Amino acid sequence: MDERNIALIIETSNSYARGILHGIHEYARTRRGWTLYLTEHGRHEIDESFVGNWKFDGVIARIETDQMARIIKAMNVPTVDVSAARLIEGIPWVETDDEAITHLALNHLRDCGLQNFAFFGDPFYNWSIWRQHAFERILGHPDIIRSRIYNLPKRKEPRVRWWTQREPIRAWLNALPKPVGIFACYDACGQQLVEICRYYGFMVPEDIAIVGVDNDELLCEITTPTMSSIIPNSLAAGAYAAEILDRLMLGEKLSGRKHSVEPLGVRKRVSTDMLTVRDRHVAEAIAFIRKNAHKNIRVEDILDIVPLSRRVLEARFRKALDRTPHQEILRVRTNAVRELLLETDMSLSEISEALGIQHPEYLSVFFKKETGLTPREYREQVKGRALPKLPD
């Protein structure tokens, strides 16, 4: 195979972009002759180090500025965009599935027993606008939802002057019905929101639960309290972008459509570590399920501790959480497996034993049915150890 020189015009300053780079690198390792060129720079910075006499066969870029778009157009080589800015029409682009991210965030907040929801966005970025639109579509009631949305001011530069926003954000938080779950468009906004809550004395998560997007470990862990976040599959996004570029360089004609990559799950931290359910018996049942996530419990075990018939318990569960007790057991056990896969190096046999599952094979089948991935695939994708399966 001939040598292919690939320019990577992607910032190295945030975890999502680094995940994309990791995915590209993993794909490149499967292709003999690929040479990757990358320089360190931040988001929105102009990287001109590759212009001049450099010759490239292809580009994968986060095209975030008009100047960068002009430079890349002038290169006149196959290009894949991994930005939502859409500054060059007609080229393939790979981005997060914002509808799926929004569903995941809202379902996570519902799992906390919350019934009030709000959105904190930044209209400088298209993906924030698209997540807001998904938020509005999913919840409906536009007359109510409008007051539950706070957007940072529209501006021409990415920088946010947070000190000018504290009072308006405080007023918005004061007006929200409590307890409330807030979906922050990404971790940087979520982190600032947690800090503003702490500054003005709002209780997180008791009164305000917050979930961000990108699972940037540093940002999420440095906040007080630590912040829950959606885990994007940035590794898959990078690998898929590289696969598309490979096809383009081989002469295949591909349309300029969006290729969406679904998120992997939610990393729960203190900012959503709460449960608000008004029905006392349902709350008792949920507490029992969570306390016994490591045991192979059934609905019959719940009925031993709450004075309700199965039919009444299921009706109350559906009213409070929009799912059955059996579905709640499956959800909690699936999340328990996720946490052990993410936070430990336990083998499948050890995880099965810890969760009271007799056969590791059953755990693998059960987990794949619930998530679409085997435990091994989930662990390796989340920890960035393996090349994910690419979408069609």
Side-chain angles (χ1 to χ4, degrees):
M1 179 183 289
D2 295 336
E3 183 174 291
R4 301 284 192 180
N5 295 314
I6 313 300
L8 304 181
I9 310 172
I10 299 169
E11 73 271 20
T12 54
S13 57
N14 62 75
S15 65
Y16 179 76
R18 290 193 299 272
I20 291 175
L21 290 167
H22 190 72
I24 295 169
H25 177 248
E26 288 297 312
Y27 183 87
R29 289 172 60 187
T30 71
R31 292 294 183 269
R32 292 179 60 188
W34 272 44
T35 301
L36 305 178
Y37 179 85
L38 171 72
T39 62
E40 182 180 14
H41 66 280
R43 191 170 192 174
H44 307 291
E45 291 179 0
I46 303 300
D47 179 10
E48 296 180 322
S49 63
F50 54 86
V51 300
N53 294 324
W54 286 86
K55 300 297 181 184
F56 292 101
D57 300 289
V59 174
I60 303 175
R62 295 254 277 177
I63 307 170
E64 303 260 321
T65 67
D66 291 329
Q67 184 178 352
M68 183 57 64
R70 288 192 295 270
I71 292 171
I72 291 173
K73 279 183 179 180
M75 294 173 73
N76 195 30
V77 295
T79 301
V80 179
D81 192 2
V82 285
S83 166
R86 303 304 296 128
L87 296 178
I88 300 180
E89 294 296 328
I91 63 173
W93 55 302
V94 180
E95 249 292 326
T96 54
D97 186 330
D98 298 299
E99 187 89 15
I101 283 174
T102 305
H103 272 288
L104 199 55
L106 288 173
N107 286 339
H108 176 66
L109 294 171
R110 287 191 180 105
D111 289 343
C112 300
L114 292 163
Q115 296 180 339
N116 300 311
F117 307 100
F119 179 81
F120 187 68
D122 185 351
F124 185 82
Y125 300 104
N126 281 340
W127 39 258
S128 178
I129 295 170
W130 297 333
R131 290 167 194 176
Q132 177 186 327
H133 291 167
F135 177 85
E136 294 168 342
R137 282 194 303 273
I138 293 166
L139 294 182
H141 305 293
D143 53 328
I144 298 175
I145 293 303
R146 197 171 297 113
S147 65
R148 308 280 177 88
I149 293 171
Y150 186 95
N151 273 311
L152 295 171
K154 292 183 179 180
R155 58 200 187 280
K156 294 183 178 180
E157 297 295 327
R159 182 186 177 194
V160 178
R161 293 172 172 80
W162 284 102
W163 63 90
T164 68
Q165 292 301 303
R166 288 176 184 162
E167 278 300 325
I169 292 172
R170 181 193 63 79
W172 175 67
L173 292 172
N174 262 333
L176 292 175
K178 311 294 189 305
V180 62
I182 299 180
F183 170 31
C185 64
Y186 77 127
D187 286 342
C189 274
Q191 183 237 352
Q192 288 295 323
L193 188 60
V194 172
E195 293 300 329
I196 288 170
C197 285
R198 186 159 65 95
Y199 183 82
Y200 287 110
F202 294 102
M203 299 296 292
V204 176
E206 292 84 355
D207 293 328
I208 298 174
I210 299 170
V211 60
V213 182
D214 287 343
N215 195 38
D216 187 309
E217 289 285 344
L218 177 61
L219 287 182
C220 292
E221 293 290 341
I222 208 170
T223 61
T224 303
T226 58
M227 186 176 68
S228 300
S229 185
I230 306 299
I231 307 170
N233 200 344
S234 53
L235 184 75
Y240 195 28
E243 194 256 1
I244 293 171
L245 181 64
D246 200 5
R247 291 161 62 184
L248 289 172
M249 291 190 299
L250 290 171
E252 188 173 343
K253 302 296 183 183
L254 298 174
S255 68
R257 72 176 180 88
K258 177 182 179 179
H259 300 267
S260 297
V261 180
E262 292 190 0
L264 287 169
V266 182
R267 177 67 167 89
K268 184 175 182 178
R269 296 184 179 87
V270 178
S271 70
T272 59
D273 189 10
M274 48 95 74
L275 176 64
T276 302
V277 176
R278 292 181 181 178
D279 188 313
R280 179 169 61 87
H281 293 312
V282 172
E284 289 174 357
I286 294 171
F288 176 81
I289 293 170
R290 294 184 178 183
K291 182 179 179 181
N292 294 281
H294 62 291
K295 298 179 181 178
N296 195 17
I297 62 171
R298 301 174 300 168
V299 176
E300 287 75 13
D301 298 312
I302 302 173
L303 296 174
D304 290 338
I305 61 105
V306 295
L308 301 173
S309 69
R310 181 164 184 152
R311 182 177 62 83
V312 171
L313 179 64
E314 289 190 350
R316 290 195 181 184
F317 251 82
R318 288 189 182 279
K319 182 178 180 181
L321 298 176
D322 196 29
R323 56 180 172 268
T324 66
H326 177 68
Q327 290 170 330
E328 177 67 4
I329 291 172
L330 291 178
R331 189 193 69 80
V332 169
R333 287 176 71 75
T334 301
N335 286 342
V337 176
R338 279 196 180 105
E339 289 179 7
L340 291 174
L341 290 170
L342 178 64
E343 298 175 9
T344 76
D345 290 318
M346 293 170 65
S347 68
L348 197 59
S349 296
E350 290 170 330
I351 292 174
S352 298
E353 183 178 352
L355 295 178
I357 297 174
Q358 196 169 12
H359 302 291
E361 296 81 7
Y362 172 76
L363 172 61
S364 185
V365 171
F366 147 73
F367 189 80
K368 184 169 185 178
K369 182 180 178 182
E370 295 298 315
T371 67
L373 296 169
T374 67
R376 181 184 179 89
E377 289 170 342
Y378 180 81
R379 170 177 272 165
E380 293 188 339
Q381 287 195 30
V382 170
K383 293 191 174 184
R385 295 177 181 169
L387 188 66
K389 293 180 180 178
L390 301 175
D392 295 330

